[in-house]
Amino acid sequence: MSIRTVGMITGYQSVTQSDWLWQQTPNPFGIWGNIQMLAKEPQPDFLLMYQFDFKRRVSAKQSWLSRFQNKQVETVNVEPDLRGVPKGRVIYLMREPPLEEVVKSNQKNYKAAQNYCGYISGPDDFAPVPDYMPAIWYHSNSFRDLNEMPPPVKVSSCSWITSGINRTANHRKRLDFLQNLRSNEIDFDLYGRNLPATSNSSGELKNKWYGMAPYYYNLAIENYADNDWYVSEKLWDSLLAWCLPIYYGGPAADRLLPEGSFLRLPSLDEKGIAYIQEVTSTPDAWYAAKPAIAEARQIILHKLNLLNWLSEFVEKFD
């Protein structure tokens, strides 16, 4: 079996490493099945445009959302970035949710992608191919460790890793829920960057593993829950750390993961607060969910894995 190389370009300014996704395979140098993920490969066989913005914002240091909202733009000449890959082998994957503030920009990117890409998908109904975003995760553990490890020792009840981003209505709703949890003295450990001083945060973590693995439960709260497609690493990270996620998000997770592998947070209000308080009062739900969590972890690692998705895509050309 010949190995096909997959290059990558992205609109994420911080994603510049040559070993992107290499932690998501047990094999060296980004090999998974019939592909090798080589983000910087000058002449790849296939090219992944990952959350790529066809309009370059003036400030390259802005967040993805700020760049979308910045009206001072210049058109990007993407031809050099395509590295000679034929249109049919260029893949466009939108990763961010269709928040109201960026929907128009997302639609423009989908339209522009039709000039260069043979496959265009995103987690929203107006994408050419509406679909969930294949899984990536943000633990630094090796694939083999995640795949083979038993549950780590659990010593604390519940954690939440989030950020103080407040640029959209959905982000502000999540921060309001955080403040309500604190006001009601719900017991959980909070980690993340740029959180309000009143949130009683333990600060930012370099490795999310340390803020999840010792806990029975983890709050996995999406910043978008209004369609059938969007689900993010918040759920994958939680399950890979052997947590039982208390999940707030859309129904995509129900289609992708086994029943009982996560709990549904009913709402971001008093009802949700009462639910968290009741569930986290004992570890009973975690013990009951262990078999489903184990099954979900294998699905994430081997099936939902973005490398596996790319391998299956490339196989169609063989």
Side-chain angles (χ1 to χ4, degrees):
M1 178 179 62
S2 61
I3 299 295
R4 306 297 184 90
T5 57
V6 181
M8 188 274 291
I9 56 175
T10 180
Y12 290 126
Q13 300 297 320
S14 60
V15 180
T16 59
Q17 62 269 35
S18 298
D19 61 350
W20 186 70
L21 283 192
W22 286 12
Q23 89 284 0
Q24 293 199 193
T25 174
N27 302 308
F29 309 121
I31 293 174
W32 179 281
N34 59 338
I35 66 165
Q36 183 174 14
M37 188 72 222
L38 294 174
K40 304 297 185 180
E41 171 64 32
Q43 294 181 312
D45 298 306
F46 292 79
L47 181 69
L48 172 61
M49 303 183 83
Y50 186 72
Q51 188 65 31
F52 184 79
D53 185 10
F54 286 91
K55 295 286 187 178
R56 180 177 289 121
R57 270 55 192 177
V58 171
S59 175
K61 295 183 179 181
Q62 291 178 319
S63 70
W64 68 271
L65 178 59
S66 297
R67 295 198 307 276
F68 273 127
Q69 293 175 326
N70 188 344
K71 295 182 180 180
Q72 299 180 32
V73 299
E74 58 183 17
T75 301
V76 178
N77 177 15
V78 301
E79 291 293 346
D81 295 322
L82 299 180
R83 308 174 210 174
V85 177
K87 180 178 180 179
R89 298 189 176 197
V90 179
I91 306 158
Y92 187 91
L93 295 183
M94 181 77 72
R95 181 172 182 270
E96 297 293 343
L99 297 168
E100 181 180 352
E101 292 84 353
V102 300
V103 162
K104 290 183 179 179
S105 294
N106 287 1
Q107 291 173 328
K108 290 179 180 178
N109 277 320
Y110 285 138
K111 183 177 181 180
Q114 293 175 13
N115 297 318
Y116 307 100
C117 307
Y119 182 88
I120 306 166
S121 182
D124 43 63
D125 291 323
F126 53 83
V129 181
D131 204 355
Y132 71 91
M133 183 63 211
I136 63 172
W137 52 86
Y138 290 94
H139 295 306
S140 60
N141 313 60
S142 72
F143 184 95
R144 291 185 185 277
D145 283 345
L146 292 175
N147 188 47
E148 299 169 9
M149 67 169 53
V153 175
K154 301 288 184 179
V155 296
S156 294
S157 175
C158 183
S159 70
W160 186 7
I161 302 176
T162 188
S163 74
I165 294 174
N166 63 358
R167 290 185 294 269
T168 73
N170 284 25
H171 288 108
R172 292 189 288 272
K173 181 180 179 181
R174 186 168 60 186
L175 286 173
D176 288 343
F177 184 63
L178 167 59
Q179 293 303 114
N180 288 335
L181 286 172
R182 287 307 193 204
S183 297
N184 283 272
E185 298 183 348
I186 303 302
D187 184 23
F188 69 99
D189 290 343
L190 178 68
Y191 303 94
R193 64 184 185 279
N194 301 325
L195 288 161
T198 56
S199 66
N200 192 26
S201 168
S202 297
E204 186 174 359
L205 297 172
K206 186 175 182 180
N207 186 351
K208 294 175 74 174
W209 179 260
Y210 299 119
M212 291 184 173
Y215 296 88
Y216 291 100
Y217 305 99
N218 174 255
L219 301 183
I221 300 179
E222 304 283 15
N223 56 35
Y224 184 84
D226 299 326
N227 72 14
D228 294 336
W229 305 110
Y230 185 69
V231 57
S232 80
E233 78 284 347
K234 296 177 181 63
L235 192 53
W236 319 141
D237 288 344
S238 182
L239 285 162
L240 290 178
W242 280 97
C243 296
L244 177 57
I246 301 176
Y247 182 68
Y248 181 78
D254 298 304
R255 300 199 310 270
L256 298 173
L257 297 175
E259 183 178 357
S261 60
F262 62 94
L263 303 176
R264 278 279 178 190
L265 181 64
S267 53
L268 300 182
D269 56 17
E270 291 78 7
K271 185 178 180 180
I273 291 171
Y275 182 82
I276 292 171
Q277 187 172 35
E278 179 182 1
V279 168
T280 60
S281 63
T282 76
D284 293 351
W286 181 83
Y287 282 105
K290 276 178 66 177
I293 294 171
E295 182 182 357
R297 295 178 77 258
Q298 291 301 302
I299 291 172
I300 294 165
L301 289 167
H302 295 276
K303 182 179 179 181
L304 303 183
N305 188 341
L306 176 53
L307 284 180
N308 183 62
W309 187 96
L310 289 167
S311 177
E312 291 179 349
F313 181 91
V314 168
E315 188 176 4
K316 299 172 186 177
F317 290 79
D318 291 336

Short mmCIF file of all heavy atoms in Angstrom, two decimals, residues 2 5 29 40 124 258:
data_model
loop_
_atom_site.label_atom_id
_atom_site.label_comp_id
_atom_site.label_asym_id
_atom_site.label_seq_id
_atom_site.Cartn_x
_atom_site.Cartn_y
_atom_site.Cartn_z
N SER A 2 0.66 2.11 -0.98
CA SER A 2 1.43 3.35 -1.05
C SER A 2 0.88 4.37 -0.07
O SER A 2 -0.32 4.46 0.16
CB SER A 2 1.40 3.92 -2.46
OG SER A 2 0.06 4.22 -2.85
N THR A 5 0.71 11.58 0.94
CA THR A 5 0.97 12.69 1.87
C THR A 5 -0.19 13.68 1.83
O THR A 5 -0.80 13.93 0.78
CB THR A 5 2.26 13.42 1.52
OG1 THR A 5 2.20 13.89 0.17
CG2 THR A 5 3.46 12.49 1.69
N PHE A 29 5.83 9.97 12.63
CA PHE A 29 5.81 10.94 11.54
C PHE A 29 4.42 11.10 10.90
O PHE A 29 4.30 11.34 9.70
CB PHE A 29 6.84 10.58 10.47
CG PHE A 29 8.22 10.34 11.01
CD1 PHE A 29 8.85 9.11 10.82
CD2 PHE A 29 8.88 11.32 11.74
CE1 PHE A 29 10.11 8.89 11.34
CE2 PHE A 29 10.14 11.09 12.26
CZ PHE A 29 10.76 9.88 12.07
N LYS A 40 3.51 20.72 6.29
CA LYS A 40 4.38 21.63 5.53
C LYS A 40 4.93 21.02 4.24
O LYS A 40 5.77 21.65 3.58
CB LYS A 40 5.55 22.07 6.42
CG LYS A 40 5.15 22.72 7.75
CD LYS A 40 4.38 24.01 7.54
CE LYS A 40 4.10 24.70 8.87
NZ LYS A 40 3.37 25.96 8.67
N ASP A 124 -22.61 22.92 9.72
CA ASP A 124 -23.76 23.81 9.61
C ASP A 124 -24.59 23.45 8.39
O ASP A 124 -24.09 22.85 7.43
CB ASP A 124 -23.33 25.28 9.56
CG ASP A 124 -22.14 25.51 8.66
OD1 ASP A 124 -22.27 25.26 7.45
OD2 ASP A 124 -21.08 25.92 9.16
N PRO A 258 -21.83 6.29 22.06
CA PRO A 258 -22.78 5.33 22.63
C PRO A 258 -23.62 5.94 23.75
O PRO A 258 -23.19 6.85 24.45
CB PRO A 258 -21.88 4.22 23.17
CG PRO A 258 -20.55 4.85 23.36
CD PRO A 258 -20.43 5.89 22.29
#
